[in-house]
């Protein structure tokens, strides 16, 4: 039995989505259970998926096997002392918190559990943290995210998708969006509630709350996917790869796990400054052929990254 643990607090969180996609893939050939380790578990997720709350008081606990923790949601809990010892302990580490890695690797010894096997989600993350572990790209269903036969009609549209948190937005992007709107470019942002009040209303500006439109329906409405975060550093950046799967040219800040997979000017674009981003977006607006060529290469990149062979190799790691 493989037990997957997550806080399951936010239906749109990358850690939650990674856990649920891993559950979908592993369930095809293994017995898998989902466990919520947070008292603030999303009721929407509980209704949609067979998620159990960990509760030693009611004996609703995992019963041994392989324990896979995704995210840092268990480190201050008492219940691990009250459940059967796992045969294997795997920790999928998808954030930038060295102190949490230290707790994760030390806690199993206190519990009498086997040593934690670390799974990192990008070479970028491994370099930044200077730790050893296997690297598995966060699994994405690239059949769910696929290119449209033709781009939507209307003005050239730049947009992005994220959770509704301020740290997902860079302070300099407000001025960039204003400049784009001034040049006749439409801007569509889902997860854009932190920008309310910072961007003046405009007929070609659309700010949507997180989850307003399913990601696979939202992304194909764009011509270009633009992404830069604030204090939050993306260790992988699932949404970037979802956009690439939709055949979109992506224009992303160079500081993130996704950057390891983007070859500038070939399957996407990387920038360091706002001025560089503005020039890239202007070039893409002026050249539909460039958008199409880069978008095709982007799709090919995710097809290789999430090929059946690559996914099988990652799934075999959990099943052994």
């Amino acid at each position: 039995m493989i037990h997957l643990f997550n806080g399951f607090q936010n239906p749109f969180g990358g850690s939650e989505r990674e856990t649920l996609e891993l559950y979908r893939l592993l369930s095809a050939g293994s017995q898998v259970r989902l466990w919520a380790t947070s008292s603030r578990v999303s009721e929407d997720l509980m209704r949609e998926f067979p998620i159990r709350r960990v509760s030693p008081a009611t004996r609703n606990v995992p019963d041994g096997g392989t324990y896979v923790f995704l995210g840092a949601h268990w480190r201050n809990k008492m219940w691990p002392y009250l459940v059967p010892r796992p045969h294997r302990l795997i920790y999928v580490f998808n954030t930038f918190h060295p102190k949490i890695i230290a707790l994760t690797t030390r806690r199993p010894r206190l519990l009498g559990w086997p040593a934690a096997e670390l799974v990192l989600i990008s070479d970028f993350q491994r370099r930044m943290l200077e730790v050893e572990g296997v690297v598995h790209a966060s699994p994405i269903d690239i059949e769910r995210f696929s290119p449209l036969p033709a781009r939507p009609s209307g003005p050239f549209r730049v947009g992005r998708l994220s959770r509704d948190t301020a740290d997902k937005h860079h302070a300099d992007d407000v001025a960039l969006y204003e400049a784009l709107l001034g040049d006749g470019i439409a801007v569509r942002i889902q997860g854009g509630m932190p920008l309310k009040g910072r961007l003046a209303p405009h007929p070609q500006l659309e700010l949507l709350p997180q989850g307003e439109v399913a990601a696979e329906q939202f992304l194909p409405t764009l011509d270009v996917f633009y992404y830069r975060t604030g204090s939050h550093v993306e260790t992988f950046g699932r949404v970037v790869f979802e956009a690439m799967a939709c055949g979109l040219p992506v224009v992303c800040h160079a500081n993130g796990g996704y950057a390891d997979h983007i070859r500038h000017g070939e399957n996407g674009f990387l920038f360091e400054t706002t001025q560089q981003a503005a020039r890239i977006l202007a070039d893409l607006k002026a050249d539909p052929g460039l958008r199409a060529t880069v978008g095709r290469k982007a799709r090919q990149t995710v097809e290789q990254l999430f090929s059946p062979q690559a996914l099988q190799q990652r799934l075999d790691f959990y099943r052994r």
Side-chain angles (χ1 to χ4, degrees):
M1 178 70 72
I2 300 173
H3 302 273
L4 303 181
F5 300 85
N6 187 267
F8 290 118
Q9 297 179 15
N10 188 333
F12 311 105
S15 175
E16 286 85 350
R17 291 163 61 199
E18 179 179 8
T19 306
L20 294 170
E21 184 60 18
L22 186 59
Y23 170 75
R24 183 185 73 84
L25 293 168
L26 285 170
S27 295
S30 305
Q31 288 185 303
V32 188
R33 288 180 183 163
L34 293 171
W35 294 94
T37 61
S38 172
S39 60
R40 299 189 298 275
V41 58
S42 163
E43 295 299 330
D44 289 340
L45 287 177
M46 290 281 287
R47 284 189 292 270
E48 188 175 354
F49 299 95
I51 300 170
R52 308 175 183 206
R53 295 176 189 262
V54 177
S55 175
T58 60
R59 298 183 180 181
N60 191 33
V61 296
D63 54 2
T66 296
Y67 292 1
V68 183
F69 290 87
L70 295 99
H73 306 285
W74 68 289
R75 63 192 185 279
N76 296 321
K77 305 293 184 181
M78 289 302 299
W79 64 261
Y81 292 92
L82 306 174
V83 303
R85 182 181 187 273
H87 172 68
R88 285 180 74 198
L89 173 62
I90 300 171
Y91 194 91
V92 181
F93 194 73
N94 47 24
T95 57
F96 275 128
H97 298 292
K99 290 182 179 179
I100 296 173
I101 276 201
L103 286 168
T104 302
T105 53
R106 184 171 65 244
R107 184 89 178 265
R109 294 197 296 272
L110 301 176
L111 291 165
W113 286 7
E117 302 172 51
L118 288 182
V119 175
L120 307 171
I121 58 173
S122 67
D123 288 313
F124 168 77
Q125 181 194 31
R126 181 165 60 180
R127 292 192 303 271
M128 293 289 289
L129 293 173
E130 298 181 337
V131 297
E132 290 302 318
V134 300
V135 175
H136 290 174
S138 181
I140 293 170
D141 182 359
I142 62 171
E143 298 307 314
R144 176 184 164 203
F145 295 90
S146 56
L148 289 180
R151 290 279 176 247
S153 59
F156 177 71
R157 181 180 289 139
V158 173
R160 54 163 285 164
L161 176 68
S162 70
R163 289 184 286 111
D164 266 325
T165 58
D167 63 353
K168 287 283 190 176
H169 296 273
H170 195 281
D172 293 345
D173 284 339
V174 170
L176 176 65
Y177 298 145
E178 290 174 340
L180 294 177
L181 292 166
D183 288 340
I185 297 173
V187 176
R188 192 175 199 222
I189 301 171
Q190 182 157 279
M193 294 302 97
L195 301 178
K196 285 272 190 182
R198 299 177 62 194
L199 280 168
H202 189 284
Q204 292 193 156
L205 171 65
E206 191 173 6
L207 300 178
L208 302 173
Q210 64 179 16
E212 180 78 6
V213 181
E216 68 273 20
Q217 297 172 6
F218 174 85
L219 290 168
T221 68
L222 308 177
D223 292 292
V224 173
F225 180 83
Y226 171 82
Y227 201 66
R228 175 167 59 172
T229 60
S231 60
H232 179 90
V233 179
E234 295 286 6
T235 50
F236 183 65
R238 288 176 59 88
V239 69
V240 175
F241 295 94
E242 291 169 353
M244 293 173 73
C246 290
L248 291 177
V250 298
V251 179
C252 301
H253 188 241
N255 188 37
Y258 49 77
D260 288 334
H261 301 275
I262 295 176
R263 299 180 298 278
H264 181 75
E266 183 179 342
N267 65 348
F269 298 88
L270 298 171
F271 67 89
E272 294 284 355
T273 68
T274 302
Q275 292 73 22
Q276 290 172 350
R279 285 197 296 270
I280 294 167
L281 292 171
D283 289 344
L284 287 168
K285 177 187 179 185
D287 193 341
L290 177 63
R291 300 200 300 268
T293 299
V294 172
R296 282 195 297 271
K297 290 289 187 180
R299 174 68 192 187
Q300 291 170 8
T301 298
V302 295
E303 287 176 349
Q304 294 170 359
L305 186 60
F306 302 107
S307 69
Q309 296 81 5
L311 286 174
Q312 189 60 53
Q313 184 177 18
R314 294 166 198 153
L315 296 177
D316 287 345
F317 169 82
Y318 296 97
R319 289 172 172 151
R320 68 175 188 237

